[in-house]
């Protein structure tokens, strides 16, 4: 990355980066026990009175005025021989040396050393332009370590510094300071995976993301298992639907195997005829989809196709009985329709279409999600709907690990694999990445990782770019609302610790206090 970043304050790289001596926090060091500079890490002695925090972005200067390393503090230690257990025990036992073993930072026996991971190098060319490169030179000992001004962090991460070029997610944490974090626009088109255990802020983050998508005019269709997006959808002027009531999917797009699963007690001959008829109708529908703008095929067309094929096979009576079973099953099913009803036009016009599926069985959820994905991708290929973002909550249920497949899961997998080419972004949310198809997670270029249990962390840690081992080890203890965001290097140069911003829309129901809920329940019940 080259940036024309000049200043009249000086011509060396320290001046251009805005580094002053009062920002110096230490000096690179070398010690047989605490380590010496390597290509990956740099230990430094912390100056008296300085309190650099974990995660602080730093600059390590060199002999050359046009070159520095940059990195991030990942660990630290304080050495004080007067505070070792043996000395403290002797002092108490013999009542000697009872003075404070650590009077001040200036005590000559107190040494504080921190280690920074090396993220890269910053070079200054002849025109005084900054170029950020991968690190290939060794840091020197005895050189100054400075805290990087927070406003320079976006430049090093290669992310926008203005929310008109991306999504305002929150703030990049750098020790005790922070700066706005703008996720590049390209990230959503190459898919996001949002992972974390229950109650750490996943759905809250998704609400922030959807607010940003709405701000940029990008339509969203979300499948809501827990009802987290109902209030936010109202606040954004979107539409809430409930699957099986005011949201149904055309029977002609759910797939032959899925459709046959809704028609019980078909004989082998009937099953064959219905399967042939359905596939024939499906192929005809998608060939003419650009003319019909939706798959609005009356059920009588399928019944007629069944009877015509049965007559061709010389099984008119079998076809009649099969058609009757299909008609009865269709009329009794609350999830299927012969037309797209109102939801498709609302989807095209509204900022967010939220479909609540929490009351359905998982098989029914798969049907709704798979059929909607198939229909919208087909319409998108024909430019009949705008580019959009597909948000799937509890994604591990729809895309399970272990090779488990259903017609619906195959459709969703195919959508994720090809959606980018059709102008469709995907956001998958899961509390159990270990239970989810690993290949799907790898397909998502951007990962938003909240606090995770160790088993889930093992799966995700290998997909997080150049996150240090020290940083990974702290993921299980991340505070609520804090996440590590990583992406492909052309989207975001380094992973970063992010504090998610406050939402403007209402969040879903908070975690209940069970003691209070029980008390409320008892107060409303009659005493028998």
């Amino acid at each position: 990355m080259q940036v024309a970043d000049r200043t009249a304050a000086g011509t060396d790289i320290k001046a251009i980066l805005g580094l002053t001596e009062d920002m110096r926090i230490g000096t690179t060091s070398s010690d047989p026990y605490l380590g010496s500079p390597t290509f990956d890490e740099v230990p430094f002695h912390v100056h008296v009175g300085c309190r650099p925090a974990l995660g602080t972005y730093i600059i390590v200067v060199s002999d050359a005025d046009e070159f520095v390393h940059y990195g991030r503090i990942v660990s630290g230690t304080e050495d004080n021989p007067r505070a070792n257990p043996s000395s403290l025990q002797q002092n108490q036992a013999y009542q000697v040396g009872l003075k404070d073993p650590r009077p001040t930072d200036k005590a000559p026996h107190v040494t504080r050393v921190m280690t920074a991971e090396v993220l890269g190098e910053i070079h200054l060319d002849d025109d005084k332009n900054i170029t950020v490169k991968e690190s290939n030179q060794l840091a020197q000992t005895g050189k100054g370590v400075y805290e990087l001004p927070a406003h320079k962090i976006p430049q090093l991460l290669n992310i926008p510094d203005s929310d008109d070029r991306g999504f305002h997610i929150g703030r990049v944490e750098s020790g005790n300071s922070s700066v706005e974090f703008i996720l590049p626009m390209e990230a959503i088109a190459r898919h996001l995976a949002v992972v974390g255990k229950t109650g750490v802020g996943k759905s809250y983050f998704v609400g922030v993301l959807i607010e940003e998508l709405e701000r940029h005019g990008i339509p969203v269709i979300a499948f809501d298992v827990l009802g987290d997006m109902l209030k936010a959808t109202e606040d954004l002027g979107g539409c809430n639907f409930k699957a099986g009531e005011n949201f149904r999917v055309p029977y002609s797009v759910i797939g032959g195997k899925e459709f046959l699963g809704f028609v019980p007690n078909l004989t082998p001959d009937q099953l064959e005829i219905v399967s042939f008829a359905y596939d024939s109708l499906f192929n005809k529908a998608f060939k003419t989809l650009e003319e019909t703008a939706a798959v609005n095929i009356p059920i009588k067309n399928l019944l007629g196709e069944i009877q015509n094929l049965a007559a061709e096979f010389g099984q008119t009576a079998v076809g009649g009985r099969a058609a009757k079973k299909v008609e009865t099953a269709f009329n009794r099913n609350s999830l299927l329709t012969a037309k797209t009803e109102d939801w498709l036009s609302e989807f095209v016009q509204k900022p967010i279409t939220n479909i609540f599926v929490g009351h359905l069985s998982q098989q029914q959820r798969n049907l709704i999600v798979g059929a909607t994905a198939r229909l919208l991708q087909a319409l998108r290929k024909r430019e009949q709907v705008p580019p959009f973002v597909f948000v799937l909550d509890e994604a591990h249920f729809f895309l399970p690990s272990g090779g488990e497949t259903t017609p619906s899961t195959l459709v969703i997998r195919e959508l994720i694999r090809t959606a980018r080419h059709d102008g469709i972004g995907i956001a998958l949310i899961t509390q159990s990445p270990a239970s989810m198809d690993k290949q799907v997670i790898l397909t998502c270029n951007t990962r938003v990782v909240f606090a995770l249990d160790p088993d889930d962390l093992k799966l995700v840690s290998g997909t997080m770019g150049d996150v240090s081992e020290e940083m990974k080890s702290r993921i299980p203890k991340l505070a609520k609302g804090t996440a590590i965001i990583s992406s492909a290097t052309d989207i975001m140069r380094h992973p970063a610790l992010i504090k998610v911003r406050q939402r403007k829309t209402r969040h879903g129901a908070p975690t209940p206090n069970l003691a209070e809920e029980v008390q409320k329940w008892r107060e409303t019940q009659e005493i028998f």
Side-chain angles (χ1 to χ4, degrees), residues 139-150:
Q140 299 168 319
T141 58
K143 292 299 177 181
V145 178
Y146 296 78
E147 183 171 348
L148 178 70

Side-chain angles (χ1 to χ4, degrees), residues 323-337:
K324 186 62 177 176
K325 289 181 181 180
V326 168
E327 183 178 21
T328 301
F330 175 82
N331 290 335
R332 290 184 174 182
N333 193 289
S334 63
L335 298 177
L336 301 180
T337 181

Side-chain angles (χ1 to χ4, degrees), residues 132-194:
V132 180
K133 300 180 179 180
E134 292 184 4
S135 180
N136 62 10
Q137 298 189 43
L138 190 63
Q140 299 168 319
T141 58
K143 292 299 177 181
V145 178
Y146 296 78
E147 183 171 348
L148 178 70
H151 70 276
K152 292 290 184 181
I153 295 174
Q155 186 175 341
L156 297 186
L157 296 180
N158 194 29
I159 60 174
D161 55 8
S162 171
D163 63 8
D164 61 349
R165 295 168 50 213
F167 309 110
H168 178 208
I169 299 300
R171 298 186 69 83
V172 184
E173 298 290 305
S174 176
N176 297 319
S177 61
S178 62
V179 66
E180 301 297 339
F181 175 80
I182 310 298
L183 183 67
M185 190 76 71
E186 297 81 5
I188 194 64
R190 290 165 66 180
H191 313 331
L192 280 79
V194 184

